[in-house]
Amino acid sequence: MEASNPTPVPPIPTIALDDDEITIIDQTLLPTEERRIIITTVEEMREAIQSLRIRGAPAIGIAAVFGLDIAARTSVALSRAELLRELKIASDYLAASRPTAVNLSWALRRVYDRVSAEQTDDVAVLVQAVRREALALLQEDLEICRRIGEHGIDLISGGSVLTHCNAGGLATSGYGTALAPMYVAHERGVPVHVYAGETRPLLQGARLTSWELARAGIDVTVIADNMAATVLSRGDVKAVIVGADRVAANGDVANKIGTLGVAILAKTFGVPFYVAIPLSTIDFDTSIGADIPIEERLDSELTSFNNRPITPVGMDVYNPAFDITPAAYVTAFITEHGVVYPPFAKGLAAFRDA
Ligand code: MRU
């Protein structure tokens, strides 16, 4: 697609480093309040990830490695062995904050492995290496998002796009994954219209996707989750694009609860269903979706709304944060290295050592 009216959109500074100060946008406050909070301890970073102040698979990976950076900078370790042991403890602690998104453990392992591969006994050099690797990850994610957007743009032209949850700038350090094609299209002056599913119970679609797309000047319409069937049946949606928290080696997709329903609807109404991911979201050690751990969150997310009870006291609740969409429902994966069509086991395996 050619540029007709380029409109550069600056990426959202979801996580930022200024000197030694690490700040994040507190996403629990959006869209009514845009507030940055300073994270000064590993415990605060874990809490921020667990409580969804920062969320989205790539963003929590990046946040966690900045947590590792805090651990390194505040350490009083006098030897290489001592520092690496502390980093391992901090890494395990941060990785345990949310179980489903594989980007979290992937990012922590990558930084730890690279730092421990440094051939030095100088603790200060190792501490600097943690910072260097965290910044590298942040920068790479920015570029990966753009490449996903460029690979996805031709798939979305000529109609509306429906997305679920938030896989945008707030979930990454760049343009997002699922929202990246929309941002790139918008940048190039190509008209885009997005339906954002509200995403019960925590409303990432209604609160966050709508916020960031509107901020960028992209046309967005919020729908309740139970309206997806109606919208997809009308024929004006060109594609569904979602992100993912983990993709198994066979192409099964773990993403925000409700994604499976949207995928089934897309197939029913003949709408392509795309999953936009960085390669770091593929877990080659997990062969099928059924083996992906699914986070279950607090009952209170379902029993109350805006701090008001909406169920009888003591109601039994089932609150999985993610579901598994079988690979058979996925039209293609949009990655930073291009679009991957079935058979996915073979197509994804080609990236195993990328
Ligand atoms: O619970 P959340 O808000 O962290 O869930 C986020 C999602 O499900 C996203 O779709 C996924 O992490 C991809 S973000 C690029």
PDB file of all heavy atoms in Angstrom, residues 9-15 58-59 62 137-147 149 166-180 183-184 187 212 215:
ATOM      1  N   VAL A   9       2.629   8.242  14.006  1.00  0.00           N
ATOM      2  CA  VAL A   9       2.041   8.171  15.343  1.00  0.00           C
ATOM      3  C   VAL A   9       3.157   7.759  16.295  1.00  0.00           C
ATOM      4  O   VAL A   9       3.728   6.693  16.142  1.00  0.00           O
ATOM      5  CB  VAL A   9       0.916   7.100  15.392  1.00  0.00           C
ATOM      6  CG1 VAL A   9       0.331   7.010  16.783  1.00  0.00           C
ATOM      7  CG2 VAL A   9      -0.141   7.391  14.358  1.00  0.00           C
ATOM      8  N   PRO A  10       3.512   8.602  17.277  1.00  0.00           N
ATOM      9  CA  PRO A  10       4.575   8.182  18.199  1.00  0.00           C
ATOM     10  C   PRO A  10       4.114   7.001  19.049  1.00  0.00           C
ATOM     11  O   PRO A  10       2.978   7.009  19.538  1.00  0.00           O
ATOM     12  CB  PRO A  10       4.804   9.432  19.073  1.00  0.00           C
ATOM     13  CG  PRO A  10       3.640  10.325  18.839  1.00  0.00           C
ATOM     14  CD  PRO A  10       2.933   9.909  17.593  1.00  0.00           C
ATOM     15  N   PRO A  11       4.971   5.973  19.208  1.00  0.00           N
ATOM     16  CA  PRO A  11       4.573   4.851  20.057  1.00  0.00           C
ATOM     17  C   PRO A  11       4.301   5.305  21.487  1.00  0.00           C
ATOM     18  O   PRO A  11       4.878   6.294  21.951  1.00  0.00           O
ATOM     19  CB  PRO A  11       5.773   3.912  20.021  1.00  0.00           C
ATOM     20  CG  PRO A  11       6.622   4.373  18.901  1.00  0.00           C
ATOM     21  CD  PRO A  11       6.312   5.815  18.663  1.00  0.00           C
ATOM     22  N   ILE A  12       3.442   4.594  22.162  1.00  0.00           N
ATOM     23  CA  ILE A  12       3.107   4.932  23.552  1.00  0.00           C
ATOM     24  C   ILE A  12       4.276   4.524  24.457  1.00  0.00           C
ATOM     25  O   ILE A  12       4.742   3.387  24.372  1.00  0.00           O
ATOM     26  CB  ILE A  12       1.844   4.154  23.983  1.00  0.00           C
ATOM     27  CG1 ILE A  12       0.674   4.506  23.072  1.00  0.00           C
ATOM     28  CG2 ILE A  12       1.501   4.416  25.442  1.00  0.00           C
ATOM     29  CD1 ILE A  12      -0.495   3.545  23.195  1.00  0.00           C
ATOM     30  N   PRO A  13       4.751   5.415  25.330  1.00  0.00           N
ATOM     31  CA  PRO A  13       5.844   5.026  26.239  1.00  0.00           C
ATOM     32  C   PRO A  13       5.323   4.170  27.396  1.00  0.00           C
ATOM     33  O   PRO A  13       5.302   4.597  28.555  1.00  0.00           O
ATOM     34  CB  PRO A  13       6.402   6.365  26.719  1.00  0.00           C
ATOM     35  CG  PRO A  13       5.265   7.329  26.552  1.00  0.00           C
ATOM     36  CD  PRO A  13       4.337   6.799  25.506  1.00  0.00           C
ATOM     37  N   THR A  14       4.884   2.970  27.054  1.00  0.00           N
ATOM     38  CA  THR A  14       4.290   2.064  28.045  1.00  0.00           C
ATOM     39  C   THR A  14       5.236   1.830  29.213  1.00  0.00           C
ATOM     40  O   THR A  14       4.833   1.799  30.367  1.00  0.00           O
ATOM     41  CB  THR A  14       3.958   0.726  27.351  1.00  0.00           C
ATOM     42  OG1 THR A  14       3.055   1.021  26.286  1.00  0.00           O
ATOM     43  CG2 THR A  14       3.346  -0.276  28.292  1.00  0.00           C
ATOM     44  N   ILE A  15       6.518   1.654  28.865  1.00  0.00           N
ATOM     45  CA  ILE A  15       7.553   1.505  29.895  1.00  0.00           C
ATOM     46  C   ILE A  15       8.722   2.380  29.469  1.00  0.00           C
ATOM     47  O   ILE A  15       9.055   2.409  28.287  1.00  0.00           O
ATOM     48  CB  ILE A  15       7.948   0.030  30.087  1.00  0.00           C
ATOM     49  CG1 ILE A  15       9.061  -0.125  31.112  1.00  0.00           C
ATOM     50  CG2 ILE A  15       8.346  -0.650  28.809  1.00  0.00           C
ATOM     51  CD1 ILE A  15       9.130  -1.514  31.707  1.00  0.00           C
ATOM     52  N   PRO A  58       4.316  -9.089  25.399  1.00  0.00           N
ATOM     53  CA  PRO A  58       5.652  -8.508  25.249  1.00  0.00           C
ATOM     54  C   PRO A  58       5.965  -7.481  26.340  1.00  0.00           C
ATOM     55  O   PRO A  58       7.095  -7.423  26.852  1.00  0.00           O
ATOM     56  CB  PRO A  58       5.605  -7.834  23.868  1.00  0.00           C
ATOM     57  CG  PRO A  58       4.506  -8.559  23.138  1.00  0.00           C
ATOM     58  CD  PRO A  58       3.482  -8.879  24.187  1.00  0.00           C
ATOM     59  N   ALA A  59       4.969  -6.683  26.731  1.00  0.00           N
ATOM     60  CA  ALA A  59       5.225  -5.625  27.724  1.00  0.00           C
ATOM     61  C   ALA A  59       5.615  -6.203  29.075  1.00  0.00           C
ATOM     62  O   ALA A  59       6.487  -5.653  29.764  1.00  0.00           O
ATOM     63  CB  ALA A  59       4.006  -4.712  27.866  1.00  0.00           C
ATOM     64  N   ILE A  62       9.251  -7.240  28.963  1.00  0.00           N
ATOM     65  CA  ILE A  62      10.168  -6.087  29.054  1.00  0.00           C
ATOM     66  C   ILE A  62      10.167  -5.524  30.474  1.00  0.00           C
ATOM     67  O   ILE A  62      11.224  -5.230  31.048  1.00  0.00           O
ATOM     68  CB  ILE A  62       9.772  -5.010  28.020  1.00  0.00           C
ATOM     69  CG1 ILE A  62       9.927  -5.565  26.601  1.00  0.00           C
ATOM     70  CG2 ILE A  62      10.616  -3.747  28.198  1.00  0.00           C
ATOM     71  CD1 ILE A  62       9.226  -4.748  25.537  1.00  0.00           C
ATOM     72  N   LEU A 137      16.193  -5.249  24.440  1.00  0.00           N
ATOM     73  CA  LEU A 137      14.891  -5.918  24.298  1.00  0.00           C
ATOM     74  C   LEU A 137      13.789  -4.902  23.994  1.00  0.00           C
ATOM     75  O   LEU A 137      12.936  -5.114  23.131  1.00  0.00           O
ATOM     76  CB  LEU A 137      14.591  -6.641  25.611  1.00  0.00           C
ATOM     77  CG  LEU A 137      13.748  -7.887  25.535  1.00  0.00           C
ATOM     78  CD1 LEU A 137      14.486  -9.000  24.832  1.00  0.00           C
ATOM     79  CD2 LEU A 137      13.382  -8.331  26.937  1.00  0.00           C
ATOM     80  N   LEU A 138      13.844  -3.778  24.702  1.00  0.00           N
ATOM     81  CA  LEU A 138      12.871  -2.708  24.496  1.00  0.00           C
ATOM     82  C   LEU A 138      12.937  -2.198  23.049  1.00  0.00           C
ATOM     83  O   LEU A 138      11.917  -2.064  22.365  1.00  0.00           O
ATOM     84  CB  LEU A 138      13.174  -1.567  25.470  1.00  0.00           C
ATOM     85  CG  LEU A 138      12.233  -0.392  25.492  1.00  0.00           C
ATOM     86  CD1 LEU A 138      11.122  -0.640  26.514  1.00  0.00           C
ATOM     87  CD2 LEU A 138      12.957   0.890  25.879  1.00  0.00           C
ATOM     88  N   GLN A 139      14.151  -1.970  22.584  1.00  0.00           N
ATOM     89  CA  GLN A 139      14.351  -1.442  21.235  1.00  0.00           C
ATOM     90  C   GLN A 139      13.942  -2.478  20.183  1.00  0.00           C
ATOM     91  O   GLN A 139      13.267  -2.166  19.199  1.00  0.00           O
ATOM     92  CB  GLN A 139      15.827  -1.031  21.079  1.00  0.00           C
ATOM     93  CG  GLN A 139      16.151  -0.370  19.751  1.00  0.00           C
ATOM     94  CD  GLN A 139      15.329   0.905  19.522  1.00  0.00           C
ATOM     95  OE1 GLN A 139      15.000   1.611  20.471  1.00  0.00           O
ATOM     96  NE2 GLN A 139      14.976   1.194  18.268  1.00  0.00           N
ATOM     97  N   GLU A 140      14.314  -3.725  20.409  1.00  0.00           N
ATOM     98  CA  GLU A 140      13.961  -4.781  19.447  1.00  0.00           C
ATOM     99  C   GLU A 140      12.461  -4.918  19.326  1.00  0.00           C
ATOM    100  O   GLU A 140      11.924  -5.104  18.231  1.00  0.00           O
ATOM    101  CB  GLU A 140      14.505  -6.134  19.929  1.00  0.00           C
ATOM    102  CG  GLU A 140      15.910  -6.412  19.502  1.00  0.00           C
ATOM    103  CD  GLU A 140      16.432  -7.680  20.164  1.00  0.00           C
ATOM    104  OE1 GLU A 140      15.682  -8.667  20.304  1.00  0.00           O
ATOM    105  OE2 GLU A 140      17.603  -7.670  20.572  1.00  0.00           O
ATOM    106  N   ASP A 141      11.782  -4.845  20.456  1.00  0.00           N
ATOM    107  CA  ASP A 141      10.323  -4.995  20.441  1.00  0.00           C
ATOM    108  C   ASP A 141       9.673  -3.898  19.589  1.00  0.00           C
ATOM    109  O   ASP A 141       8.743  -4.144  18.828  1.00  0.00           O
ATOM    110  CB  ASP A 141       9.779  -4.968  21.868  1.00  0.00           C
ATOM    111  CG  ASP A 141       8.299  -5.296  21.917  1.00  0.00           C
ATOM    112  OD1 ASP A 141       7.918  -6.375  21.425  1.00  0.00           O
ATOM    113  OD2 ASP A 141       7.516  -4.471  22.415  1.00  0.00           O
ATOM    114  N   LEU A 142      10.227  -2.707  19.705  1.00  0.00           N
ATOM    115  CA  LEU A 142       9.728  -1.573  18.917  1.00  0.00           C
ATOM    116  C   LEU A 142       9.825  -1.899  17.421  1.00  0.00           C
ATOM    117  O   LEU A 142       8.879  -1.710  16.656  1.00  0.00           O
ATOM    118  CB  LEU A 142      10.611  -0.366  19.262  1.00  0.00           C
ATOM    119  CG  LEU A 142      10.153   1.017  18.924  1.00  0.00           C
ATOM    120  CD1 LEU A 142       9.170   1.471  19.999  1.00  0.00           C
ATOM    121  CD2 LEU A 142      11.344   1.981  18.907  1.00  0.00           C
ATOM    122  N   GLU A 143      10.971  -2.438  17.037  1.00  0.00           N
ATOM    123  CA  GLU A 143      11.190  -2.741  15.613  1.00  0.00           C
ATOM    124  C   GLU A 143      10.342  -3.928  15.163  1.00  0.00           C
ATOM    125  O   GLU A 143       9.797  -3.953  14.057  1.00  0.00           O
ATOM    126  CB  GLU A 143      12.681  -3.009  15.366  1.00  0.00           C
ATOM    127  CG  GLU A 143      13.504  -1.719  15.398  1.00  0.00           C
ATOM    128  CD  GLU A 143      14.942  -1.924  15.839  1.00  0.00           C
ATOM    129  OE1 GLU A 143      15.441  -3.065  15.777  1.00  0.00           O
ATOM    130  OE2 GLU A 143      15.563  -0.918  16.278  1.00  0.00           O
ATOM    131  N   ILE A 144      10.202  -4.921  16.049  1.00  0.00           N
ATOM    132  CA  ILE A 144       9.411  -6.111  15.719  1.00  0.00           C
ATOM    133  C   ILE A 144       7.959  -5.711  15.454  1.00  0.00           C
ATOM    134  O   ILE A 144       7.330  -6.167  14.498  1.00  0.00           O
ATOM    135  CB  ILE A 144       9.508  -7.147  16.865  1.00  0.00           C
ATOM    136  CG1 ILE A 144      10.882  -7.826  16.831  1.00  0.00           C
ATOM    137  CG2 ILE A 144       8.387  -8.188  16.789  1.00  0.00           C
ATOM    138  CD1 ILE A 144      11.191  -8.656  18.065  1.00  0.00           C
ATOM    139  N   CYS A 145       7.436  -4.833  16.304  1.00  0.00           N
ATOM    140  CA  CYS A 145       6.046  -4.389  16.132  1.00  0.00           C
ATOM    141  C   CYS A 145       5.863  -3.743  14.760  1.00  0.00           C
ATOM    142  O   CYS A 145       4.884  -4.001  14.060  1.00  0.00           O
ATOM    143  CB  CYS A 145       5.659  -3.394  17.219  1.00  0.00           C
ATOM    144  SG  CYS A 145       5.539  -4.122  18.851  1.00  0.00           S
ATOM    145  N   ARG A 146       6.797  -2.899  14.397  1.00  0.00           N
ATOM    146  CA  ARG A 146       6.686  -2.225  13.100  1.00  0.00           C
ATOM    147  C   ARG A 146       6.690  -3.250  11.966  1.00  0.00           C
ATOM    148  O   ARG A 146       5.902  -3.182  11.037  1.00  0.00           O
ATOM    149  CB  ARG A 146       7.823  -1.218  12.928  1.00  0.00           C
ATOM    150  CG  ARG A 146       7.957  -0.701  11.512  1.00  0.00           C
ATOM    151  CD  ARG A 146       8.682   0.604  11.431  1.00  0.00           C
ATOM    152  NE  ARG A 146       7.889   1.686  11.929  1.00  0.00           N
ATOM    153  CZ  ARG A 146       6.874   2.251  11.266  1.00  0.00           C
ATOM    154  NH1 ARG A 146       6.540   1.813  10.082  1.00  0.00           N
ATOM    155  NH2 ARG A 146       6.192   3.222  11.797  1.00  0.00           N
ATOM    156  N   ARG A 147       7.574  -4.229  12.067  1.00  0.00           N
ATOM    157  CA  ARG A 147       7.656  -5.232  10.991  1.00  0.00           C
ATOM    158  C   ARG A 147       6.379  -6.062  10.925  1.00  0.00           C
ATOM    159  O   ARG A 147       5.897  -6.411   9.850  1.00  0.00           O
ATOM    160  CB  ARG A 147       8.897  -6.101  11.178  1.00  0.00           C
ATOM    161  CG  ARG A 147      10.116  -5.367  10.603  1.00  0.00           C
ATOM    162  CD  ARG A 147      11.421  -5.798  11.185  1.00  0.00           C
ATOM    163  NE  ARG A 147      11.694  -7.208  11.059  1.00  0.00           N
ATOM    164  CZ  ARG A 147      12.652  -7.850  11.723  1.00  0.00           C
ATOM    165  NH1 ARG A 147      13.406  -7.169  12.573  1.00  0.00           N
ATOM    166  NH2 ARG A 147      12.844  -9.127  11.571  1.00  0.00           N
ATOM    167  N   GLY A 149       3.482  -4.955  11.672  1.00  0.00           N
ATOM    168  CA  GLY A 149       2.528  -4.047  11.029  1.00  0.00           C
ATOM    169  C   GLY A 149       2.694  -4.026   9.529  1.00  0.00           C
ATOM    170  O   GLY A 149       1.717  -4.061   8.772  1.00  0.00           O
ATOM    171  N   ASN A 166      -6.427  -6.165  24.258  1.00  0.00           N
ATOM    172  CA  ASN A 166      -5.535  -5.119  23.789  1.00  0.00           C
ATOM    173  C   ASN A 166      -4.188  -5.728  23.463  1.00  0.00           C
ATOM    174  O   ASN A 166      -3.483  -6.209  24.349  1.00  0.00           O
ATOM    175  CB  ASN A 166      -5.344  -4.004  24.830  1.00  0.00           C
ATOM    176  CG  ASN A 166      -4.257  -3.029  24.383  1.00  0.00           C
ATOM    177  OD1 ASN A 166      -3.093  -3.172  24.727  1.00  0.00           O
ATOM    178  ND2 ASN A 166      -4.632  -2.059  23.568  1.00  0.00           N
ATOM    179  N   ALA A 167      -3.875  -5.740  22.178  1.00  0.00           N
ATOM    180  CA  ALA A 167      -2.558  -6.178  21.724  1.00  0.00           C
ATOM    181  C   ALA A 167      -1.959  -5.024  20.938  1.00  0.00           C
ATOM    182  O   ALA A 167      -1.532  -5.163  19.793  1.00  0.00           O
ATOM    183  CB  ALA A 167      -2.672  -7.448  20.883  1.00  0.00           C
ATOM    184  N   GLY A 168      -1.960  -3.868  21.576  1.00  0.00           N
ATOM    185  CA  GLY A 168      -1.483  -2.648  20.928  1.00  0.00           C
ATOM    186  C   GLY A 168      -0.243  -2.105  21.599  1.00  0.00           C
ATOM    187  O   GLY A 168       0.512  -2.838  22.251  1.00  0.00           O
ATOM    188  N   GLY A 169      -0.069  -0.801  21.476  1.00  0.00           N
ATOM    189  CA  GLY A 169       1.104  -0.155  22.045  1.00  0.00           C
ATOM    190  C   GLY A 169       1.197  -0.346  23.546  1.00  0.00           C
ATOM    191  O   GLY A 169       2.288  -0.466  24.098  1.00  0.00           O
ATOM    192  N   LEU A 170       0.074  -0.407  24.208  1.00  0.00           N
ATOM    193  CA  LEU A 170       0.088  -0.578  25.662  1.00  0.00           C
ATOM    194  C   LEU A 170       0.568  -1.965  26.072  1.00  0.00           C
ATOM    195  O   LEU A 170       0.905  -2.191  27.229  1.00  0.00           O
ATOM    196  CB  LEU A 170      -1.315  -0.326  26.233  1.00  0.00           C
ATOM    197  CG  LEU A 170      -1.758   1.139  26.257  1.00  0.00           C
ATOM    198  CD1 LEU A 170      -3.257   1.232  26.532  1.00  0.00           C
ATOM    199  CD2 LEU A 170      -0.972   1.938  27.295  1.00  0.00           C
ATOM    200  N   ALA A 171       0.554  -2.894  25.120  1.00  0.00           N
ATOM    201  CA  ALA A 171       0.955  -4.270  25.423  1.00  0.00           C
ATOM    202  C   ALA A 171       2.373  -4.576  24.951  1.00  0.00           C
ATOM    203  O   ALA A 171       2.839  -5.719  25.072  1.00  0.00           O
ATOM    204  CB  ALA A 171      -0.029  -5.241  24.765  1.00  0.00           C
ATOM    205  N   THR A 172       3.045  -3.565  24.413  1.00  0.00           N
ATOM    206  CA  THR A 172       4.391  -3.748  23.859  1.00  0.00           C
ATOM    207  C   THR A 172       5.172  -2.448  24.084  1.00  0.00           C
ATOM    208  O   THR A 172       4.680  -1.533  24.727  1.00  0.00           O
ATOM    209  CB  THR A 172       4.315  -3.982  22.321  1.00  0.00           C
ATOM    210  OG1 THR A 172       3.756  -2.802  21.716  1.00  0.00           O
ATOM    211  CG2 THR A 172       3.457  -5.178  21.959  1.00  0.00           C
ATOM    212  N   SER A 173       6.348  -2.360  23.454  1.00  0.00           N
ATOM    213  CA  SER A 173       7.046  -1.066  23.524  1.00  0.00           C
ATOM    214  C   SER A 173       6.874  -0.297  22.224  1.00  0.00           C
ATOM    215  O   SER A 173       7.425   0.789  22.068  1.00  0.00           O
ATOM    216  CB  SER A 173       8.532  -1.273  23.828  1.00  0.00           C
ATOM    217  OG  SER A 173       9.189  -1.806  22.710  1.00  0.00           O
ATOM    218  N   GLY A 174       6.111  -0.848  21.282  1.00  0.00           N
ATOM    219  CA  GLY A 174       5.956  -0.166  19.999  1.00  0.00           C
ATOM    220  C   GLY A 174       4.505  -0.013  19.603  1.00  0.00           C
ATOM    221  O   GLY A 174       3.685   0.450  20.398  1.00  0.00           O
ATOM    222  N   TYR A 175       4.201  -0.429  18.366  1.00  0.00           N
ATOM    223  CA  TYR A 175       2.848  -0.301  17.834  1.00  0.00           C
ATOM    224  C   TYR A 175       1.940  -1.451  18.250  1.00  0.00           C
ATOM    225  O   TYR A 175       0.792  -1.505  17.822  1.00  0.00           O
ATOM    226  CB  TYR A 175       2.909  -0.272  16.306  1.00  0.00           C
ATOM    227  CG  TYR A 175       3.113   1.103  15.711  1.00  0.00           C
ATOM    228  CD1 TYR A 175       3.243   1.255  14.335  1.00  0.00           C
ATOM    229  CD2 TYR A 175       3.145   2.244  16.513  1.00  0.00           C
ATOM    230  CE1 TYR A 175       3.409   2.515  13.762  1.00  0.00           C
ATOM    231  CE2 TYR A 175       3.315   3.498  15.950  1.00  0.00           C
ATOM    232  CZ  TYR A 175       3.448   3.624  14.575  1.00  0.00           C
ATOM    233  OH  TYR A 175       3.602   4.867  14.016  1.00  0.00           O
ATOM    234  N   GLY A 176       2.461  -2.391  19.002  1.00  0.00           N
ATOM    235  CA  GLY A 176       1.655  -3.554  19.347  1.00  0.00           C
ATOM    236  C   GLY A 176       1.837  -4.639  18.306  1.00  0.00           C
ATOM    237  O   GLY A 176       2.667  -4.529  17.387  1.00  0.00           O
ATOM    238  N   THR A 177       1.053  -5.693  18.466  1.00  0.00           N
ATOM    239  CA  THR A 177       1.110  -6.789  17.481  1.00  0.00           C
ATOM    240  C   THR A 177      -0.158  -6.732  16.636  1.00  0.00           C
ATOM    241  O   THR A 177      -0.131  -6.344  15.484  1.00  0.00           O
ATOM    242  CB  THR A 177       1.288  -8.147  18.195  1.00  0.00           C
ATOM    243  OG1 THR A 177       0.191  -8.344  19.107  1.00  0.00           O
ATOM    244  CG2 THR A 177       2.596  -8.199  18.949  1.00  0.00           C
ATOM    245  N   ALA A 178      -1.307  -7.065  17.250  1.00  0.00           N
ATOM    246  CA  ALA A 178      -2.559  -7.060  16.477  1.00  0.00           C
ATOM    247  C   ALA A 178      -2.906  -5.667  15.947  1.00  0.00           C
ATOM    248  O   ALA A 178      -3.493  -5.539  14.880  1.00  0.00           O
ATOM    249  CB  ALA A 178      -3.698  -7.591  17.345  1.00  0.00           C
ATOM    250  N   LEU A 179      -2.546  -4.632  16.694  1.00  0.00           N
ATOM    251  CA  LEU A 179      -2.895  -3.274  16.245  1.00  0.00           C
ATOM    252  C   LEU A 179      -1.842  -2.673  15.323  1.00  0.00           C
ATOM    253  O   LEU A 179      -2.082  -1.616  14.718  1.00  0.00           O
ATOM    254  CB  LEU A 179      -3.128  -2.338  17.442  1.00  0.00           C
ATOM    255  CG  LEU A 179      -4.245  -2.721  18.421  1.00  0.00           C
ATOM    256  CD1 LEU A 179      -4.517  -1.564  19.385  1.00  0.00           C
ATOM    257  CD2 LEU A 179      -5.528  -3.110  17.689  1.00  0.00           C
ATOM    258  N   ALA A 180      -0.694  -3.331  15.184  1.00  0.00           N
ATOM    259  CA  ALA A 180       0.383  -2.748  14.379  1.00  0.00           C
ATOM    260  C   ALA A 180      -0.036  -2.509  12.920  1.00  0.00           C
ATOM    261  O   ALA A 180       0.258  -1.436  12.375  1.00  0.00           O
ATOM    262  CB  ALA A 180       1.634  -3.617  14.457  1.00  0.00           C
ATOM    263  N   TYR A 183      -1.942   0.709  12.786  1.00  0.00           N
ATOM    264  CA  TYR A 183      -1.108   1.904  12.943  1.00  0.00           C
ATOM    265  C   TYR A 183      -0.335   2.196  11.648  1.00  0.00           C
ATOM    266  O   TYR A 183      -0.227   3.341  11.217  1.00  0.00           O
ATOM    267  CB  TYR A 183      -0.104   1.712  14.084  1.00  0.00           C
ATOM    268  CG  TYR A 183      -0.678   1.963  15.461  1.00  0.00           C
ATOM    269  CD1 TYR A 183      -0.859   0.927  16.367  1.00  0.00           C
ATOM    270  CD2 TYR A 183      -1.015   3.247  15.881  1.00  0.00           C
ATOM    271  CE1 TYR A 183      -1.364   1.146  17.638  1.00  0.00           C
ATOM    272  CE2 TYR A 183      -1.518   3.486  17.157  1.00  0.00           C
ATOM    273  CZ  TYR A 183      -1.686   2.432  18.027  1.00  0.00           C
ATOM    274  OH  TYR A 183      -2.187   2.668  19.280  1.00  0.00           O
ATOM    275  N   VAL A 184       0.223   1.140  11.058  1.00  0.00           N
ATOM    276  CA  VAL A 184       1.015   1.355   9.838  1.00  0.00           C
ATOM    277  C   VAL A 184       0.108   1.849   8.718  1.00  0.00           C
ATOM    278  O   VAL A 184       0.463   2.767   7.967  1.00  0.00           O
ATOM    279  CB  VAL A 184       1.779   0.063   9.448  1.00  0.00           C
ATOM    280  CG1 VAL A 184       2.442   0.215   8.087  1.00  0.00           C
ATOM    281  CG2 VAL A 184       2.823  -0.273  10.504  1.00  0.00           C
ATOM    282  N   GLU A 187      -0.663   5.451   9.373  1.00  0.00           N
ATOM    283  CA  GLU A 187       0.535   6.246   9.050  1.00  0.00           C
ATOM    284  C   GLU A 187       0.628   6.546   7.567  1.00  0.00           C
ATOM    285  O   GLU A 187       1.091   7.593   7.156  1.00  0.00           O
ATOM    286  CB  GLU A 187       1.762   5.398   9.410  1.00  0.00           C
ATOM    287  CG  GLU A 187       2.583   5.925  10.512  1.00  0.00           C
ATOM    288  CD  GLU A 187       3.873   5.121  10.602  1.00  0.00           C
ATOM    289  OE1 GLU A 187       4.402   4.617   9.590  1.00  0.00           O
ATOM    290  OE2 GLU A 187       4.326   4.986  11.728  1.00  0.00           O
ATOM    291  N   GLU A 212      -6.100   3.890  23.032  1.00  0.00           N
ATOM    292  CA  GLU A 212      -4.898   4.131  22.240  1.00  0.00           C
ATOM    293  C   GLU A 212      -5.204   4.373  20.772  1.00  0.00           C
ATOM    294  O   GLU A 212      -4.518   5.152  20.119  1.00  0.00           O
ATOM    295  CB  GLU A 212      -3.836   3.045  22.453  1.00  0.00           C
ATOM    296  CG  GLU A 212      -4.165   1.656  21.944  1.00  0.00           C
ATOM    297  CD  GLU A 212      -2.912   0.778  21.905  1.00  0.00           C
ATOM    298  OE1 GLU A 212      -2.613   0.145  22.927  1.00  0.00           O
ATOM    299  OE2 GLU A 212      -2.233   0.744  20.854  1.00  0.00           O
ATOM    300  N   ARG A 215      -6.488   7.933  20.514  1.00  0.00           N
ATOM    301  CA  ARG A 215      -5.337   8.833  20.708  1.00  0.00           C
ATOM    302  C   ARG A 215      -4.554   9.006  19.409  1.00  0.00           C
ATOM    303  O   ARG A 215      -4.034  10.075  19.113  1.00  0.00           O
ATOM    304  CB  ARG A 215      -4.451   8.210  21.804  1.00  0.00           C
ATOM    305  CG  ARG A 215      -3.093   8.822  22.009  1.00  0.00           C
ATOM    306  CD  ARG A 215      -2.302   7.945  22.981  1.00  0.00           C
ATOM    307  NE  ARG A 215      -0.937   8.398  23.180  1.00  0.00           N
ATOM    308  CZ  ARG A 215       0.081   8.038  22.419  1.00  0.00           C
ATOM    309  NH1 ARG A 215      -0.085   7.217  21.394  1.00  0.00           N
ATOM    310  NH2 ARG A 215       1.297   8.494  22.670  1.00  0.00           N
TER     311      ARG A 215
END
